Amino acid sequence: MSLLQVKNLIVEFPGRHGTLRALDDISFDIAPGEILGIVGESGAGKSLTSAAIIGLLEPPGRVAGGQILLEGTRIDNLNHEQMRHIRGRRIGAIFQDPLTSLNPLYTVGKQLIETIQTHLPLGAEEARLRAISLLQETGIAAAEQRMGHYPHQFSGGMRQRVVIALALAAEPKLIVADEPTTALDVSIQAQIITLLKSVCKKHNAAVMLITHDMGVIAETCDRVAVMYAGRIAEIGPVHDVINRPSHPYTEGLMAAIPDIEVDRDRLHQIDGSMPRLDGIPTGCAFNPRCARAFDRCRQARPELMPVSTTRAACWLHDASQEAVA
Ligand SMILES: Nc1ncnc2c1ncn2[C@@H]1O[C@H](COP(=O)(O)OP(=O)(O)O)[C@@H](O)[C@H]1O
Ligand code: SF4
Ligand SMILES: [Mg+2]
């Protein structure tokens, strides 16, 4: 069974000038232990997808349709308190800024122990040993002494390591990481991603890894979903999506990674920018930026359709139509 199922998820923002639809019919699964990457330019809907899953959509944003299931049970209709419990125990969250997850007033040891004891039936000493061991696993030197330090006494990278330890404290089955290295120094981003991958594998936690960096996706994920304007443009095994991108938007994102072997002649930099929610083009939302757009792209919206091992929402792959040049 899938660990996480997102089915036809719709997220809307009601406003004075009408309702804006920010996520429009998003569906994907994550298998136990799997790393699913979510990639796309700023504004694609990556963070809203994550916020909907962990129950932290900010009002007036709301789930207006669809379902989210964790191990077969719906979690999109739970109340605040139930969702808070799920977030600590069954889903661990990691945000761009480590200080979102850490309380500046408490030592990291106290925060780890408290999270562990809230969710696991461990006594004080067992919880303390578990906290130390989690810090060691995440590469914090002199972990026992560091337990007594406050978040501001750690560097940005070390703080994000503490957050990873905290996210794993109650052995969740799923870690949702929204741009976990974007705020960190470029020189340590790769280390943190590598660490995240290795500790999650060790703890058997699946990961939904959000990034705008195709290079990180290529090196880290099992599968990838490419998002554009609140929808999934392409989804499939990472190797296939990267080596044979089926959606012109994915090709454009690939062009930004210098060291991946793809047919350079097919690539164009993507001109233009992601549409605002109140100006999403009819037909394929990508059509104004797409070098291969044809009439149908401006009229009808493509759903995800199978293309060998992946699925892409692009009329170029519509097997039911005559091929269009
Ligand atoms: N509180 C909000 N009110 C209105 N629109 C929002 C709000 N939060 C996000 N959006 C819009 O939803 C879209 C997706 O945002 P987001 O999920 O944050 O994108 P990403 O994380 O991919 O950069 C964007 O167009 C953004 O402007
Ligand atoms: S449907 Fe048309 S506009 Fe959209 S990506 Fe495919 S070719 Fe380009
Ligand atoms: Mg975001």
Side-chain angles (χ1 to χ4, degrees):
M1 188 185 27
S2 295
L3 173 68
L4 181 80
Q5 291 168 277
V6 176
K7 295 185 181 177
N8 308 109
L9 178 66
I10 294 172
V11 166
E12 290 180 342
F13 291 96
R16 267 181 302 158
H17 307 290
T19 295
L20 294 175
R21 184 166 284 198
L23 295 184
D24 193 0
D25 203 14
I26 298 281
S27 299
F28 61 87
D29 288 12
I30 301 181
E34 179 180 50
I35 304 186
L36 175 74
I38 310 267
V39 71
E41 292 162 295
S42 181
K46 306 181 298 296
S47 292
L48 289 177
T49 304
S50 134
I53 292 168
I54 63 182
L56 289 180
L57 272 179
E58 278 176 37
R62 61 182 191 98
V63 174
Q67 297 188 351
I68 300 167
L69 296 91
L70 185 64
E71 294 179 306
T73 307
R74 276 184 77 171
I75 59 168
D76 57 276
N77 52 5
L78 301 181
N79 67 34
H80 195 71
E81 201 48 44
Q82 292 168 316
M83 209 51 220
R84 216 163 58 143
H85 182 72
I86 290 209
R87 264 200 308 280
R89 178 69 185 91
R90 297 172 66 199
I91 305 180
I94 302 173
F95 301 99
Q96 186 168 321
D97 179 358
L99 295 176
T100 310
S101 313
L102 297 171
N103 186 327
L105 303 176
Y106 297 113
T107 63
V108 305
K110 184 176 162 71
Q111 295 180 60
L112 279 163
I113 290 169
E114 191 180 293
T115 304
I116 291 166
Q117 288 200 298
T118 302
H119 297 290
L120 301 178
L122 296 184
E125 183 58 14
E126 285 174 306
R128 197 181 73 88
L129 292 176
R130 179 172 170 80
I132 294 170
S133 138
L134 282 163
L135 289 180
Q136 283 165 343
E137 275 182 58
T138 52
I140 305 280
E144 193 157 2
Q145 289 92 297
R146 289 300 238 163
M147 290 276 285
H149 290 181
Y150 291 85
H152 75 263
Q153 294 174 282
F154 292 77
S155 68
M158 286 296 153
R159 250 180 239 146
Q160 202 60 308
R161 289 174 189 263
V162 173
V163 170
I164 293 171
L166 199 59
L168 286 166
E171 292 291 318
K173 298 270 175 56
L174 175 66
I175 296 286
V176 172
D178 187 353
E179 310 245 13
T181 61
T182 304
L184 304 179
D185 198 281
V186 175
S187 64
I188 58 166
Q189 291 184 353
Q191 291 169 26
I192 300 293
I193 292 288
T194 305
L195 171 76
L196 178 67
K197 178 170 177 164
S198 70
V199 292
C200 289
K201 283 264 183 269
K202 182 168 166 225
H203 287 258
N204 230 338
V207 184
M208 181 172 119
L209 176 62
I210 295 178
T211 171
H212 56 262
D213 185 340
M214 259 298 192
V216 166
I217 295 282
E219 285 177 17
T220 315
C221 301
D222 301 308
R223 281 190 309 135
V224 58
V226 179
M227 289 190 69
Y228 189 81
R231 292 173 61 86
I232 293 179
E234 180 163 5
I235 183 166
V238 79
H239 185 266
D240 300 338
V241 171
I242 282 176
N243 289 298
R244 281 177 283 114
S246 297
H247 196 289
Y249 180 59
T250 315
E251 284 185 26
L253 291 179
M254 298 300 310
I257 346 179
D259 53 354
I260 280 187
E261 285 179 37
V262 278
D263 183 353
R264 291 279 136 199
D265 294 342
R266 288 176 60 210
L267 300 179
H268 333 264
Q269 276 295 345
I270 324 175
D271 294 327
S273 55
M274 179 85 60
R276 289 162 40 121
L277 294 184
D278 57 5
I280 295 179
T282 48
C284 172
F286 188 58
N287 85 69
R289 302 173 72 187
C290 182
R292 301 211 246 148
F294 52 103
D295 281 350
R296 190 178 186 189
C297 307
R298 288 176 273 272
Q299 288 146 16
R301 194 170 71 175
E303 301 294 327
L304 283 172
M305 40 199 121
V307 192
S308 67
T309 56
T310 74
R311 287 181 302 142
C314 171
W315 290 128
L316 294 170
H317 303 286
D318 185 10
S320 70
Q321 290 283 110
E322 288 295 300
V324 194

